[in-house]
């Protein structure tokens, strides 16, 4: 079984049953639909409650940080208490699109780190064009108190991956891994310890080859997993078993919900 550890099912609206059926047919057993706005958590929660094998997170994406600067730590922690909420985020830094909101991004990100500490849930980290600040914040905050996290949809430089692993973080690879010009990302994927690897789609974005340029969906995580298996010199079955085990260790709450289920249920 594969797990799509990061997708955005709220983008699929009335197509959701078909999307999840195709994922199940492709061998995907569970998915996490990721929050980009705390104020929209009811949408993510409803999707998870209505579909076996689906979990959700709660958090503010850095590109929405300027729209939700007043979301409190207490509010995030309270919302994360739902049995099918298995993570905090996605939160982080995006200086590619949102350089004018850098200060508020950092403030909101640190608040989400505090929520991860308070809840014991993993933090889903978005990092784009902000490696130096991300390394500094993660290092400073980890020194204040441990928390678990994953660098999602990894497309940053090798130093961030190296520091992340040293701090105990996981690294998740998306369809970017399959792109012809992603040699550096594949090289990073080769060096990440096996027990820190995850796979994801970030659907509906970043469809892997051979679907690049089309809408992504959870079923396509199998294509990213296939390339990651090739990079690591493993069989697809072994890679699926490995990454699913890593998912269950990091997103440990997903294994405690008696209603967790599978997409194939």
């Amino acid at each position: 079984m594969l797990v799509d550890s990061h997708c955005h099912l709220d983008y699929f609206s009335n197509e959701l049953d078909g999307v999840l059926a195709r994922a199940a047919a492709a061998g995907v057993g569970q998915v996490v639909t990721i929050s980009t706005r705390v104020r929209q958590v009811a949408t993510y929660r409803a999707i998870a409650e209505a579909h076996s094998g689906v979990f959700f997170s709660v958090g503010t994406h850095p590109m929405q940080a300027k729209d939700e600067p007043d979301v409190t730590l207490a509010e995030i922690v309270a919302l994360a208490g739902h049995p099918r909420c298995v993570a905090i985020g996605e939160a982080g830094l995006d200086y590619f699109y949102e350089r004018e909101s850098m200060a508020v991004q950092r403030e909101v990100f640190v608040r989400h780190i505090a929520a991860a500490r308070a809840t014991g849930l993993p933090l889903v980290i978005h990092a784009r064009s902000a490696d130096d600040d991300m390394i500094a914040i993660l290092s400073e905050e980890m020194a204040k108190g441990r928390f678990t996290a994953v660098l999602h949809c990894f497309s940053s430089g090798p130093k961030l991956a190296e520091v992340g692993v040293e701090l105990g973080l996981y690294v998740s690879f998306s369809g970017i891994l399959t792109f012809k010009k992603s040699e550096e990302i594949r090289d990073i994927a080769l060096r990440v310890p096996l027990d820190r690897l995850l796979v994801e789609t970030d659907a509906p974005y970043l469809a892997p080859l051979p679907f690049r340029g089309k809408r992504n969906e959870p079923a396509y995580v199998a294509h990213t997993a296939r390339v990651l298996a090739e990079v690591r010199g493993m069989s697809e079955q072994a890679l699926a078993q490995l990454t699913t085990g890593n998912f269950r260790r990091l997103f440990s709450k997903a294994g405690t919900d008696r209603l967790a289920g599978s997409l194939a249920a």
Side-chain angles (χ1 to χ4, degrees), residues 229-265:
E230 292 173 357
V231 168
R232 297 306 301 243
M234 304 172 64
S235 70
E236 293 177 37
Q237 182 179 9
L239 190 283
Q241 183 176 6
L242 173 77
T243 54
T244 296
N246 291 347
F247 170 82
R248 289 175 173 164
R249 186 168 58 255
L250 179 62
F251 293 81
S252 57
K253 189 175 174 182
T256 62
D257 182 0
R258 64 182 180 83
L259 301 178
S262 168
L263 298 184

Side-chain angles (χ1 to χ4, degrees), residues 47-200:
I47 292 171
E49 289 175 341
H51 296 90
S52 180
V54 177
F55 304 94
F56 75 100
S57 71
V58 57
T60 302
H61 191 288
M63 291 177 63
Q64 277 72 53
K66 63 183 182 298
D67 301 321
E68 294 190 339
D70 57 339
V71 173
T72 67
L73 171 60
E75 184 176 2
I76 297 171
V77 170
L79 291 169
H82 189 282
R84 299 188 76 82
C85 181
V86 299
I88 303 297
E90 65 185 285
L93 305 175
D94 192 316
Y95 295 170
F96 186 82
Y97 287 115
E98 294 289 334
R99 293 192 64 84
E100 72 278 5
S101 65
M102 290 165 60
V104 71
Q105 285 185 49
R106 290 191 287 265
E107 178 182 346
V108 170
F109 181 38
V110 170
R111 191 176 305 145
H112 281 71
I113 292 174
R117 280 200 205 94
T119 61
L121 297 179
L123 176 64
V124 179
I125 297 173
H126 175 109
R128 187 173 187 187
S129 299
D131 287 21
D132 290 345
D133 276 6
M134 180 59 68
I135 288 170
I137 291 173
L138 289 175
S139 299
E140 291 167 7
E141 290 296 320
M142 196 66 76
K144 296 177 183 177
R146 303 290 301 176
F147 58 94
T148 60
V150 54
L151 294 165
H152 112 87
C153 190
F154 195 85
S155 59
S156 299
K159 183 62 176 178
L160 178 55
E162 178 183 342
V163 172
V165 168
E166 290 175 352
L167 293 174
L169 276 59
Y170 289 63
V171 184
S172 183
F173 293 94
S174 69
I176 294 173
L177 184 78
T178 73
F179 297 170
K180 292 180 180 179
K181 295 184 178 180
S182 291
E183 290 88 355
E184 183 180 52
I185 300 302
R186 287 188 287 273
D187 183 60
I188 292 170
L190 178 61
R191 290 181 282 140
V192 171
L194 289 174
D195 63 351
R196 306 292 181 81
L197 288 171
L198 293 174
V199 288
E200 63 171 272

